[in-house]
Amino acid sequence: MAAKTTSDNDSQADLAQNRRSSFIAVIFLVISLLPIVAAGLELINHFISHNSKLTINNSAPILPPPSIIRIAFAIMVSLFISIRGFRKKSLDLSGSITAVIVGFCMTLSNTAFFVVLLVFFVTSSMLTKFKSEIKRRIEDDFKEGGQRNWVQVLCNGGIPSVAAIIYIVTIGCGTLPINFTRIKYYNPSLLAVSVVTSLGCCAGDTWASEIGSAIGSRTPRLITTLQRVPVGTNGGISMIGTISSFAGGLAVGLSYYISIYCCCDRTDLKMWEKLPPQWPIILYGAFAGFLGSMIDSFLGASVQYSGYSKESKKILHHRTKDSLHISGYAILNNHAVNFVSALITTIIISYGAVNYWPA
């Protein structure tokens, strides 16, 4: 009896510490957002400034507008992938319709954008189904195959889609190498890095959560306190999950790097010899996967509710009468956390790429 009382007291103490850490994490998050917002505004200012210089000089778009063949290809590919995703239960009906729009914008703007989107979607769908029987036992909101709805599709593909639309309007349609040293190529390079880092973040988070919950540690640790928490807790991290997040971003970065050399016009050898190295996009993609997963975990542990149901013995992401609070405040849901973490990661790494891309 005494042992049980001691265990209950320890459990209550851990929960109290988790609540305190969640409060401190929220304060830290608010303070940290200030320089991130400043960096984002600076990137927007640079983009507008470079675009204005090209307009003043009456420069024509770098790439041609979309051709009929390219538009038809974008429509067919996006429809095929969305319908297949719906049949495989990776998407529900609303998610499939939204995926058509996202896929069309990405494919029309830049072939390399389409490739990284395809890599993200295919790998994420496969990993969602990986050892699904284990996830079914621990997740209260488990869905067979994932069945992502329109909100989830927009949270993952919204930022790349906006970048793709801006790319079409201001640059044209086609693939260009990354080069921040010339005004003409600055904006397309910034948009390309934004797409890669955003999808790298989403891939890293998906790989970490899907692999980590299936084969990771049975007792992950909460990122804010490093205390052990049940599998599936928002903000829980493990070694296998962290490695997986890096691998997810690496897959996105590597696919874009290969696409540059496969899709760009390489007839002008002198121009290619003067270009900065393209390999850093692999590292930026990998770091986006890692950083995005850490930011997502931090947000999940602080502004997203996690509880444990004594009745179903599953992790809950919403408060109920019988749920035992584990961590976080019910401020954001999982979709909002995914979007915010992708936005923050995109700003941080894009800012780093603009200022520290090797010559």
Side-chain angles (χ1 to χ4, degrees), residues 26-280:
V26 171
I27 300 300
F28 176 78
L29 177 64
V30 172
I31 297 174
S32 300
L33 283 176
L34 297 177
I36 294 173
V37 170
L41 292 175
E42 184 175 339
L43 288 175
I44 293 174
N45 181 59
H46 285 174
F47 185 92
I48 295 174
S49 175
H50 283 81
N51 197 58
S52 298
K53 291 178 181 178
L54 292 175
T55 303
I56 293 173
N57 295 330
N58 294 321
S59 299
I62 303 173
L63 295 170
S67 62
I68 298 299
I69 296 177
R70 191 179 186 96
I71 293 174
F73 175 76
I75 293 173
M76 289 189 295
V77 166
S78 56
L79 280 173
F80 173 78
I81 295 174
S82 299
I83 293 172
R84 184 172 177 80
F86 179 70
R87 289 177 175 174
K88 293 288 186 179
K89 295 185 177 181
S90 298
L91 301 166
D92 68 7
L93 181 59
S94 67
S96 182
I97 295 172
T98 308
V100 171
I101 300 172
V102 172
F104 175 76
C105 294
M106 300 284 286
T107 307
L108 185 66
S109 62
N110 187 326
T111 308
F113 290 1
F114 160 70
V115 171
V116 294
L117 179 66
L118 185 64
V119 168
F120 164 70
F121 176 73
V122 172
T123 58
S124 298
S125 299
M126 291 173 62
L127 289 173
T128 299
K129 299 174 183 177
F130 176 63
K131 293 196 173 184
S132 58
E133 68 280 358
I134 296 177
K135 300 167 187 174
R136 189 194 305 273
R137 292 199 301 266
I138 62 176
E139 297 176 6
D140 180 66
D141 54 354
F142 174 83
K143 294 180 181 178
E144 189 67 40
Q147 298 183 38
R148 292 171 174 83
N149 59 27
W150 70 272
V151 179
Q152 291 170 294
V153 173
L154 280 184
C155 287
N156 289 319
I159 296 174
S161 296
V162 171
I165 292 171
I166 296 174
Y167 192 96
I168 295 170
V169 173
T170 61
I171 312 300
C173 295
T175 306
L176 292 169
I178 296 174
N179 186 359
F180 289 107
T181 61
R182 294 183 60 186
I183 294 178
K184 187 177 181 180
Y185 293 101
Y186 182 94
N187 283 355
S189 299
L190 177 57
L191 292 171
V193 171
S194 299
V195 169
V196 172
T197 53
S198 177
L199 288 176
C201 166
C202 296
D205 176 57
T206 302
W207 284 41
S209 58
E210 299 298 343
I211 297 176
S213 61
I215 63 175
S217 170
R218 293 296 89 194
T219 52
R221 295 180 181 273
L222 194 66
I223 191 171
T224 51
T225 64
L226 298 183
Q227 290 181 337
R228 296 188 183 279
V229 290
V231 177
T233 301
N234 296 314
I237 59 174
S238 64
M239 181 59 70
I240 187 67
T242 303
I243 295 172
S244 299
S245 68
F246 185 86
L250 182 67
V252 170
L254 182 60
S255 63
Y256 192 85
Y257 174 76
I258 295 173
S259 299
I260 291 176
Y261 285 94
C262 292
C263 302
C264 288
D265 181 9
R266 302 191 65 192
T267 55
D268 189 351
L269 297 179
K270 291 184 178 181
M271 186 273 287
W272 276 88
E273 290 175 356
K274 297 178 181 178
L275 281 175
Q278 302 296 296
W279 58 260

